[in-house]
Amino acid sequence: MHSQIIVIKHPLIQHKLTLMRKAETSTVKFRVLLKEISLLLAYEITRDLPVKYEEIETPLAPMKAPMLAPEKKLVIVSIQRAGQGILDGMLELMPSARVGHIGLYREPKTLIPVEYYFKVPQDIDKRDVLVVDPMLATGNSAVAAVERLKSTNPMSIKFICILAAPEGLEHFTEVHPDVPIYTTAIDDYLDENGYIIPGLGDAGDRLFGTR
Ligand code: URA
């Protein structure tokens, strides 16, 4: 597999993903599971964040203790609307991260993404970006979102999803070979409507109960 694709196979994540896939899982449960998986993903993805040592006093003794390096600043960019589910979980673990939003919808016939909203922090050029969207299907939205973000010159970009299709991965890695992709599973294929099979259905609909 392409070295820029990282599949996080932690058993807790895989268990929660299976529950999310089940057709009978309610909107309430789906939302909670997506939040929990996202928190665990954030934990894995931030493994390499640099730390700096600070002099502190415990109740018993002074020591040099690690703290996150202040110059490492993150921005989580959510691709609307399903990205919101991942964003909520990640913010719970990293409450001081800044947030950006990209609004893209898939034109139903062509599946081509159309941008309707773009708002990111002004100092994004001094930040590392985590782009989040639960489903990497055709890859069209992810490719367009990352292309747009690259024009703002962030320090780095990582793409984070829950499920990916081989077709989407191929498309994304071809256009953005410099952007690592984190996912929890790679499924079999895309159907003629652009849904990931076996997948979990429409992530936005399941998250917001719109169907
Ligand atoms: N978007 C979804 O929500 N689900 C899919 O299977 C593909 C794209």
Side-chain angles (χ1 to χ4, degrees):
M1 198 180 10
H2 211 293
S3 64
Q4 85 188 84
I5 303 166
I6 301 119
V7 183
I8 299 179
K9 292 194 169 147
H10 192 293
L12 274 176
I13 290 182
Q14 294 300 321
H15 177 84
K16 288 177 193 298
L17 174 61
T18 300
L19 295 175
M20 285 177 72
R21 288 181 186 275
K22 290 186 179 184
E24 69 266 27
T25 297
S26 69
T27 294
V28 174
K29 195 86 207 286
F30 188 91
R31 202 175 283 157
V32 171
L33 288 163
L34 182 55
K35 195 168 174 182
E36 289 173 349
I37 283 198
S38 307
L39 198 143
L40 293 166
L41 267 175
Y43 179 77
E44 285 287 326
I45 290 159
T46 51
R47 261 178 196 287
D48 58 354
L49 281 183
V51 292
K52 276 199 169 155
Y53 284 78
E54 209 176 84
E55 286 284 359
I56 63 157
E57 301 267 348
T58 79
L60 298 175
M63 73 172 286
K64 278 198 158 191
M67 294 280 283
L68 286 175
E71 64 274 15
K72 196 76 177 171
K73 294 180 180 156
L74 293 176
V75 52
I76 305 168
V77 177
S78 161
I79 302 182
Q80 294 305 311
R81 65 186 165 140
Q84 189 68 40
I86 301 187
L87 174 65
D88 290 345
M90 294 211 161
L91 279 178
E92 204 148 298
L93 197 67
M94 305 180 287
S96 59
R98 297 296 188 262
V99 174
H101 291 282
I102 300 185
L104 295 167
Y105 69 87
R106 295 202 296 176
E107 213 285 312
K109 281 209 180 82
T110 60
L111 305 182
I112 289 172
V114 181
E115 182 183 308
Y116 63 89
Y117 190 74
F118 186 83
K119 188 90 180 172
V120 295
Q122 276 186 345
D123 63 349
I124 194 165
D125 58 330
K126 295 179 189 67
R127 292 180 178 273
D128 293 287
V129 172
L130 306 176
V131 190
V132 301
D133 189 357
M135 311 297 272
L136 182 67
T138 59
N140 289 342
S141 303
V143 163
V146 169
E147 216 157 82
R148 182 71 171 87
L149 282 164
K150 278 184 173 173
S151 71
T152 66
N153 286 320
M155 309 267 283
S156 71
I157 302 179
K158 288 176 177 167
F159 184 83
I160 295 132
C161 60
I162 304 293
L163 275 187
E167 296 89 334
L169 287 170
E170 198 178 320
H171 181 194
F172 188 96
T173 51
E174 214 172 279
V175 184
H176 298 298
D178 52 331
V179 176
I181 304 163
Y182 293 81
T183 186
T184 68
I186 301 172
D187 274 8
D188 297 343
Y189 65 96
L190 285 184
D191 74 6
E192 64 282 6
N193 299 311
Y195 281 100
I196 299 176
I197 304 297
L200 51 73
D202 188 300
D205 281 341
R206 296 201 64 190
L207 183 62
F208 298 111
T210 40
R211 183 167 291 174

